[in-house]
Amino acid sequence: MLLLSLSLMAFTCTGLAQFAGFQEPQGERVDADAALDRALKSSSLTFAGKPFHAVMEIASDAKEYSGRVEVWWVNETKYRLVVSSPKFNQEKIVNGVRVFEKDGDYYPRWLENFVDAVLDPVPVAKNFRGRGGVVMLGPNMSSCLRRDDRPGNITDELTWGMVCFKGNDPEISSILTMNVSIEYSDWKGFGKKKIARTYKTDVLAFEPVTGHLTTLEEWKQPDDPMFSIAAETPLGDRISTEFVSTLKEESMVEHAPVIEWPSVREGKTEGYMIVYARTDRTGQVRETAKHNSDQPGLESFGMEQALKFKFKPLVVNGVAEQMEMPLVLHFTSHLDNPIPILTVEQMKKQIVNCNVNYKPGTKVGLMRISVNEQGVRVGIGSTPGSPTQKGWTAGPQAFMAAMKSLEPCHFLPYLVDGKATFYKGDVEVAVP
C-alpha cells in the first residue's frame, strides 16, 4: 500500500524529532527549491541528461495492470516513446515542434505514472517551487517536501501532496499527490547519475503494480530516421489529461447514478468520501481509486459507483481532453451486524504466543487490534476513548514500540453462532 507506506515514512522521518528522547539525525539544511534541483540532477534521466535508450517492464497480480515502456531520448524536443499494455498502446515521436502520436482511446493513470517515472520523475514539481522552506539532506536520511493548502479549512486536492528524498545527493524516493503515486528504489549508477531501477505505484484499493527498468544504456549515435515524421498528428487526435477541481467537475456532470448505499458494520453512517476518478475524452469515468473517506467500509462500493458518472467532455482550445478529479460522494447508510469489540479479558482468550500479563506497577497502554475471519491481524491502533493513564501521552515512540511488541502475537478466529467473523479487541501492552 504505497499511500500508507509513504505516510508512515513521512511520520517516522520528521515526526519523532519533536519528542524528548529522540535525537534528530545530523544533516544539511537545504532550501526546498535547491533540494528539488539537486534531486533532479542526481536521479532524473532527462534533467540535464544525455541521450539514452530505456525499457521498463511492468507487472502485477492482475494482467490488466502490466505493460512495457520503451524510450529513445535525445532531449525534450527530440524523443520517441512506445507504450504497450493490454488496454492501451501509444507510439509518439517528438521532433522539434512536429509531433506524431498514435493512441488508444483511453490513457490510464497507473500507466502514465510509469511513463512519467522515466521522462519526468517529479511531474508535480511546480506545486512545490517558490514556497520557501528547507529539508534535511544527508547520508541515510529521508526527508519530504509537503504542501497542504486549506482554503476555507478544506484541503485543496489539486496541490496537496509530498515529494520525498533519500540520501545526500539526494535521490527522489517517492511522489504522493491526489493523482500521482510513485515510489523509486534500487538506484544504480548511470554516468554521473544514480537512476532507480524499480518503480511502484498502486491501483484501486492501493494494490501494488511494479515496473523494472530492464534496459538503460547511453545512446551514443542517435538515429535520425527514428524521428522522421511523414504526417504530423493533429491536436484533436492526440491524447492529454487535465486535473480539474471538484467545483469544475460538479459543473460538468451529465449523469450521476442514484446510489443505494449498503449497510456498514461500524463507524459513520453518513458522511463524505473522495474518490480519485479519471475520464476518457467523452467524459465517461474509466478509472477510479481510493483516496479517503469518513467510512472506509464503503470506499470500494463508492469506487464502483464512481465508474457510472458521465461528464460533459472537457474541451480546451477546441480539443477534447481526458479529466482526472477528486470526486466527492455523499453517503447515507445504516448499521447492520456490528463488528464485535472484545474487552481486554476476552482478548486474552483469543491471543496465542504473546505475553499480555505484566508485573504490578508496569505502565500499560491499550491497543485495539483488528482480526479477520482467518485469525490474521489486519489492523492495529490505539483504543478510542481510553483513560488518560492508558493513553499515549508518551508520544509516537511509545506507540511504535507497542506495535512492535505485538508482532509475535497470533490470534484465534472469533465465532458467532458457530461462524468465524471479523472482530476487534483491546490488548494491554507495556509502555516504554
Side-chain angles (χ1 to χ4, degrees):
M1 293 170 60
L2 181 57
L3 178 62
L4 177 60
S5 64
L6 291 179
S7 297
L8 181 58
M9 183 193 74
F11 168 74
T12 55
C13 289
T14 61
L16 291 180
Q18 303 172 20
F19 296 89
F22 182 85
Q23 186 167 348
E24 184 176 358
Q26 297 301 307
E28 177 189 6
R29 292 172 60 86
V30 180
D31 172 79
D33 286 1
L36 266 173
D37 288 339
R38 276 172 56 171
L40 290 169
K41 184 177 180 181
S42 168
S43 54
S44 168
L45 284 166
T46 58
F47 187 89
K50 55 189 176 183
F52 67 86
H53 169 234
V55 177
M56 183 187 294
E57 301 287 349
I58 305 166
S60 71
D61 291 338
K63 186 178 179 181
E64 176 182 354
Y65 302 106
S66 61
R68 189 174 192 269
V69 176
E70 186 165 14
V71 180
W72 296 265
W73 189 87
V74 179
N75 55 50
E76 61 274 6
T77 63
K78 194 171 186 178
Y79 64 90
R80 183 178 187 134
L81 169 69
V82 177
V83 181
S84 58
S85 72
K87 294 188 176 181
F88 177 80
N89 296 290
Q90 181 185 75
E91 182 180 2
K92 183 175 183 178
I93 302 172
V94 175
N95 193 344
V97 297
R98 305 189 73 216
V99 176
F100 168 81
E101 186 171 313
K102 183 178 180 181
D103 298 305
D105 71 319
Y106 170 69
Y107 192 178
R109 164 46 68 186
W110 66 269
L111 191 54
E112 188 173 1
N113 280 345
F114 287 113
V115 173
D116 282 342
V118 178
L119 295 179
D120 187 12
V122 190
V124 294
K126 67 180 185 298
N127 289 347
F128 296 87
R129 290 192 182 277
R131 296 177 54 80
V134 297
V135 294
M136 296 294 294
L137 302 180
N140 303 315
M141 289 187 66
S142 295
S143 57
C144 300
L145 291 176
R146 294 173 184 76
R147 182 167 180 177
D148 188 7
D149 300 343
R150 292 177 174 267
N153 207 32
I154 299 175
T155 293
D156 183 356
E157 301 291 354
L158 293 183
T159 57
W160 171 87
M162 61 182 174
V163 179
C164 296
F165 312 107
K166 187 174 183 179
N168 187 59
D169 291 326
E171 289 84 31
I172 302 161
S173 60
S174 59
I175 312 292
L176 178 62
T177 68
M178 171 72 198
N179 60 331
V180 178
S181 64
I182 191 80
E183 189 175 45
Y184 303 89
S185 61
D186 188 22
W187 293 284
K188 294 179 181 177
F190 181 64
K192 295 181 179 179
K193 296 177 179 283
K194 289 183 68 177
I195 302 300
R197 299 309 200 269
T198 300
Y199 307 79
K200 292 182 181 179
T201 189
D202 51 53
V203 295
L204 303 173
F206 309 128
E207 297 161 21
V209 183
T210 303
H212 293 284
L213 205 61
T214 56
T215 298
L216 178 58
E217 56 192 2
E218 185 178 352
W219 199 18
K220 295 184 178 180
Q221 294 180 322
D223 188 2
D224 279 338
M226 289 194 69
F227 306 104
S228 175
I229 297 176
E232 190 172 357
T233 304
L235 284 174
D237 293 335
R238 304 179 200 173
I239 201 163
S240 60
T241 305
E242 184 168 328
F243 190 18
V244 302
S245 67
T246 298
L247 186 63
K248 176 73 171 178
E249 56 88 356
E250 286 178 347
S251 72
M252 299 178 67
V253 174
E254 196 171 83
H255 170 74
V258 177
I259 304 176
E260 298 291 336
W261 294 93
S263 62
V264 294
R265 300 186 65 188
E266 66 171 349
K268 290 188 176 182
T269 58
E270 182 173 4
Y272 293 88
M273 70 175 64
I274 299 177
V275 174
Y276 168 81
R278 184 167 165 117
T279 77
D280 58 23
R281 286 171 284 186
T282 72
Q284 179 62 53
V285 174
R286 298 283 293 272
E287 183 178 359
T288 61
K290 288 184 179 181
H291 185 60
N292 63 45
S293 176
D294 292 334
Q295 173 48 270
L298 291 175
E299 279 188 289
S300 293
F301 182 81
M303 287 165 51
E304 295 172 3
Q305 299 307 302
L307 289 168
K308 300 176 183 179
F309 274 77
K310 172 71 167 61
F311 297 85
K312 298 173 185 177
L314 176 67
V315 178
V316 179
N317 297 325
V319 176
E321 296 187 355
Q322 296 187 162
M323 288 189 292
E324 53 189 357
M325 67 195 73
L327 182 59
V328 179
L329 302 178
H330 175 249
F331 65 85
T332 55
S333 181
H334 64 278
L335 285 174
D336 186 30
N337 186 24
I339 293 176
I341 308 292
L342 306 190
T343 66
V344 171
E345 292 304 315
Q346 288 174 315
M347 280 297 285
K348 288 180 179 180
K349 299 176 182 178
Q350 299 297 118
I351 300 175
V352 292
N353 299 333
C354 186
N355 181 15
V356 293
N357 296 307
Y358 302 104
K359 297 178 181 179
T362 300
K363 185 178 180 181
V364 297
L366 293 182
M367 303 292 288
R368 179 158 291 181
I369 311 297
S370 300
V371 184
N372 69 13
E373 292 84 350
Q374 291 74 44
V376 177
R377 189 188 72 205
V378 293
I380 184 169
S382 56
T383 299
S386 57
T388 302
Q389 67 270 23
K390 292 186 178 181
W392 295 106
T393 55
Q397 281 181 284
F399 184 84
M400 295 179 68
M403 288 179 64
K404 187 173 181 62
S405 73
L406 290 173
E407 288 180 358
C409 301
H410 295 273
F411 300 85
L412 299 174
Y414 185 73
L415 304 181
V416 175
D417 297 329
K419 184 178 179 180
T421 186
F422 187 99
Y423 69 98
K424 296 185 177 184
D426 296 332
V427 177
E428 288 187 336
V429 293
V431 177

